[in-house]
Amino acid sequence: MENLNREVLEPRGVNSAGFTSREIDVLRLLSEGWDTEEIGKELCYSERTVKNVIYAMTSRLNLRNRPQLVAYGVRIGLI
């Protein structure tokens, strides 16, 4: 597993749970109750970028909304 993380996933910017560092940052702030504008300002992203990151995660994981996304992150131990 160590080799997989180091040689395959990390060069692609993905962790073993399949999330990029950008997605993890957005998800953590989302779980703390931050809104899109606040997350964008904190991470120096546009609101559109934050929305796209959230949409990409919910679509990829077949989730319906932000609360389900946060619950998923908690369940897998990401946040």
Side-chain angles (χ1 to χ4, degrees):
M1 185 67 159
E2 181 73 26
N3 288 337
L4 174 66
N5 282 334
R6 187 177 59 252
E7 296 174 11
V8 178
L9 299 177
E10 288 175 5
R12 291 180 172 88
V14 178
N15 67 7
S16 59
F19 290 89
T20 65
S21 60
R22 174 187 278 188
E23 290 173 334
I24 293 168
D25 291 342
V26 169
L27 185 56
R28 284 190 178 141
L29 294 176
L30 193 62
S31 73
E32 293 175 10
W34 294 40
D35 67 20
T36 305
E37 181 181 358
E38 294 169 326
I39 294 170
K41 285 181 181 177
E42 177 70 17
L43 300 176
C44 298
Y45 300 147
S46 70
E47 286 184 62
R48 185 86 238 139
T49 297
V50 174
K51 289 177 183 180
N52 286 340
V53 169
I54 293 169
Y55 177 79
M57 287 188 288
T58 55
S59 295
R60 184 175 71 234
L61 299 168
N62 295 319
L63 302 173
R64 293 182 191 185
N65 51 38
R66 293 171 183 214
Q68 280 191 340
L69 179 60
V70 170
Y72 180 85
V74 170
R75 268 196 318 273
I76 66 168
L78 193 59
I79 51 175

